[in-house]
Amino acid sequence: MIEARELTRRYGSLLAVDRVSFDVSPGQIVGLLGPNGAGKTTILRILAGYHFPHEGVALIDGFDVVTEPIEAKRRLGYLPEHAPAYGELSVSEYLGFICGARSLGRAAARRAIERVVTLCALESVWRRPIAQLSKGFQQRVGLAQALVHDPQVVVLDEPTSGLDPNQIREVRRIVRELGEDRTVLFSTHIMREAEAVCARVLILDAGRIVAGGTALNSGVNPAPWQATIYPGPQDNFVFNASTIFWCQGLSSPPGHMLPWSHWSRPHGPDRRVQQITRNLLDRSLRAAKA
């Protein structure tokens, strides 16, 4: 699982991440949403060990990313926003290189490559140079390198950015399969994206978590539907790709079922949070019409 406690990161005088805390449990897919500059990528880079926090603690499957970085990285698969790859290598050569970097033996590497090639549907481009692939296939190669060592925790930074609708559906399929038995955290700007794959979302603004919620799967206002409340003081709404329903200030234990009458629309915690979520919904609707 992923545990973040009071994570703080500065770039000079800029406070990019401000005392962020959250958990992601095994078998759960959680999305980080927020406007540009909200701190999403910085948080993912801290979890991946690319940046260290100036304050706070981040644990990957119980291992501290600062004091136990090797053990944490063994259990983590990370896909940055721009998929890392050597364009002159073929898909087979590149995945073989990644297996070597992960210290997988020949037999283990062969099994691992067969598994990720099937999962990411790369059979048709297996021998082609990565530079000649479409962006969708390059993204799948990036996913394959993140998964080749069979990590229990997967962190994805905007994995569908710039893809066409068919490519987006394919990446969503992969993420949903990963979420069946792994811990998955990914960032996105689009509420529809979160609704399609997430059980839960956390909304960031100016480096802080300002709200969190649970995805609806049955349309707008599906009364008498009941919402599951996840643990955490920031979890206070349910949503789909076009609507957010805010909790009316009730305090609920983790996993407690609240009747639909206890939810309201559209009043959120404050105007700033309402504006952020409205912008995310608008962006989702524009993406759906594109």
Side-chain angles (χ1 to χ4, degrees), residues 25 29 49 64-65 79 92 113 137 177 179-180 204 219 258:
S25 301
I29 304 175
D64 191 307
V65 300
L79 176 65
S92 62
I113 291 173
F137 271 116
E177 287 190 27
E180 292 176 0
L204 293 162
L258 287 180

Side-chain angles (χ1 to χ4, degrees), residues 85-99:
Y86 296 105
E88 67 276 13
L89 297 182
S90 68
V91 174
S92 62
E93 291 169 337
Y94 176 64
L95 292 180
F97 166 75
I98 295 297
C99 286

Side-chain angles (χ1 to χ4, degrees), residues 77-140:
Y78 174 51
L79 176 65
E81 183 177 359
H82 303 290
Y86 296 105
E88 67 276 13
L89 297 182
S90 68
V91 174
S92 62
E93 291 169 337
Y94 176 64
L95 292 180
F97 166 75
I98 295 297
C99 286
R102 288 285 183 180
S103 300
L104 297 181
R106 182 174 297 179
R110 184 173 60 253
R111 291 191 299 270
I113 291 173
E114 289 175 355
R115 174 176 50 81
V116 297
V117 165
T118 300
L119 174 65
C120 299
L122 293 170
E123 295 91 343
S124 64
V125 296
W126 175 239
R127 298 295 181 187
R128 290 179 57 187
I130 294 172
Q132 295 180 10
L133 303 182
S134 68
K135 183 167 183 179
F137 271 116
Q138 289 185 12
Q139 197 74 341
R140 287 192 233 173

Side-chain angles (χ1 to χ4, degrees), residues 2 5 19-20 27 38-39 52 55 60 72 74 77 139 149 167 173 183 232 234 237 243 257 264 267 283:
I2 297 172
R5 296 286 176 267
R19 295 170 294 168
V20 165
F52 285 165
E55 299 172 25
I60 301 296
R74 281 177 178 158
Q139 197 74 341
H149 56 300
Q167 294 166 341
R173 175 193 65 79
T183 302
Q234 64 272 73
F237 68 83
T243 308
M257 303 297 287
S264 66
H267 303 297
R283 186 177 186 131

Side-chain angles (χ1 to χ4, degrees), residues 191-264:
M191 199 69 94
R192 184 176 297 275
E193 191 73 31
E195 183 203 20
V197 296
C198 291
R200 178 177 171 226
V201 298
L202 301 171
I203 293 181
L204 293 162
D205 180 45
R208 304 190 71 177
I209 294 176
V210 295
T214 306
L216 293 170
N217 295 310
S218 50
V220 177
N221 196 17
W225 187 85
Q226 293 180 316
T228 302
I229 311 305
Y230 284 93
Q234 64 272 73
D235 295 321
N236 51 12
F237 68 83
V238 293
F239 74 97
N240 63 19
S242 60
T243 308
I244 281 184
F245 298 86
W246 297 96
C247 181
Q248 295 177 323
L250 298 178
S251 177
S252 304
H256 182 65
M257 303 297 287
L258 287 180
W260 188 253
S261 60
H262 289 178
W263 298 83
S264 66

